[in-house]
């Protein structure tokens, strides 16, 4: 029985030690808590508003990329929402306002300028110049002479005659079709 008490006490002490840093990770002021409490620009943050009379709310701050839609969390009655801190925001304290029912709740978020160099993209998100990816079926022609040999001679008499014959067949087909549709319409 004595070892069970020691185990429970050790477990409680471990839980208290692990939960203490988490409790300090939230900046709570005026009923609005922000986690993490001191984010860097570009960081995702979570807002929590307890004891609100409404089921939804909107949080507004100059530090956020957009307004935050808050909704009820699972069964505890706390409104929760997430957003991102603007990447262009300067370090400092920013007000957070949540309209909850008939009254507004206010809080603050402190943005720290602890940007990590690995969080910024070093290359553009899209290509800046055309990619030399080959020419598919024409790659051999392009490699042989820069595409100059793709057409060795202009269209000749054979091409002209073939084009005229195909155009004549198309004209006859259109004329026959229109004649059929007129004859069906008068029956």
């Amino acid at each position: 029985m004595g070892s069970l008490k020691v185990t429970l006490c050790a477990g409680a002490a471990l839980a208290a030690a692990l939960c203490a840093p988490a409790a300090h990770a939230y900046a709570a002021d005026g009923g609005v808590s922000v986690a993490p409490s001191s984010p860097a620009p570009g960081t995702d943050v979570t807002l929590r508003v307890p004891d609100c009379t409404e089921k939804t709310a909107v949080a507004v701050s100059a530090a956020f990329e957009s307004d935050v839609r808050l909704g009820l969390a699972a069964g505890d009655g706390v409104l929760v929402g997430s957003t991102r801190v603007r990447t262009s925001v300067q370090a400092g304290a920013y007000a957070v306002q949540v309209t909850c029912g008939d009254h507004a709740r206010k809080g603050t978020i402190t943005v720290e300028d602890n940007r990590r160099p690995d969080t910024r993209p070093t290359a553009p998100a899209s290509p800046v110049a055309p990619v030399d990816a080959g020419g598919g079926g024409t790659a051999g022609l392009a490699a042989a002479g820069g595409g100059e040999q793709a057409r060795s001679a202009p269209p000749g008499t054979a091409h002209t005659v073939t084009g005229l014959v195909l155009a004549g067949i198309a004209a006859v087909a259109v004329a026959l079709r229109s004649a059929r549709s007129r004859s069906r319409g008068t029956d």
Side-chain angles (χ1 to χ4, degrees):
M1 202 67 162
S3 65
L4 180 61
K5 287 182 181 178
V6 171
T7 304
L8 289 176
C9 288
L14 181 63
L18 291 176
C19 292
H24 295 293
Y26 289 94
D29 184 17
V32 178
S33 64
V34 181
S37 62
S38 300
T43 304
D44 291 334
V45 293
T46 302
L47 301 169
R48 297 178 57 87
V49 180
D51 304 324
C52 185
T53 59
E54 301 294 321
K55 293 183 181 183
T56 61
V58 175
V60 179
S61 176
F64 299 152
E65 285 184 347
S66 63
D67 295 347
V68 185
R69 297 212 178 269
L70 304 172
L72 280 176
D76 60 357
V78 176
L79 296 178
V80 178
S82 296
T83 190
R84 179 169 288 168
V85 177
R86 288 186 301 130
T87 56
S88 61
V89 73
Q90 299 295 320
Y94 292 88
V96 178
Q97 182 172 349
V98 178
T99 304
C100 187
D102 295 336
H103 58 323
R105 304 249 181 119
K106 294 185 179 185
T108 57
I109 181 172
T110 304
V111 178
E112 291 184 356
D113 194 19
N114 56 358
R115 297 176 200 233
R116 290 178 281 157
D118 59 338
T119 59
R120 298 293 234 161
T122 57
S126 61
V128 182
V131 178
D132 187 16
T138 63
L141 294 174
E148 297 168 6
Q149 295 177 353
R151 179 174 284 174
S152 58
T157 307
H159 292 111
T160 306
V161 170
T162 303
L164 289 174
V165 168
L166 290 175
I169 292 172
V172 169
V174 169
L176 288 175
R177 183 154 182 110
S178 63
R180 277 189 190 166
S181 64
R182 271 189 252 135
S183 68
R184 286 190 182 143
T186 58
D187 285 335

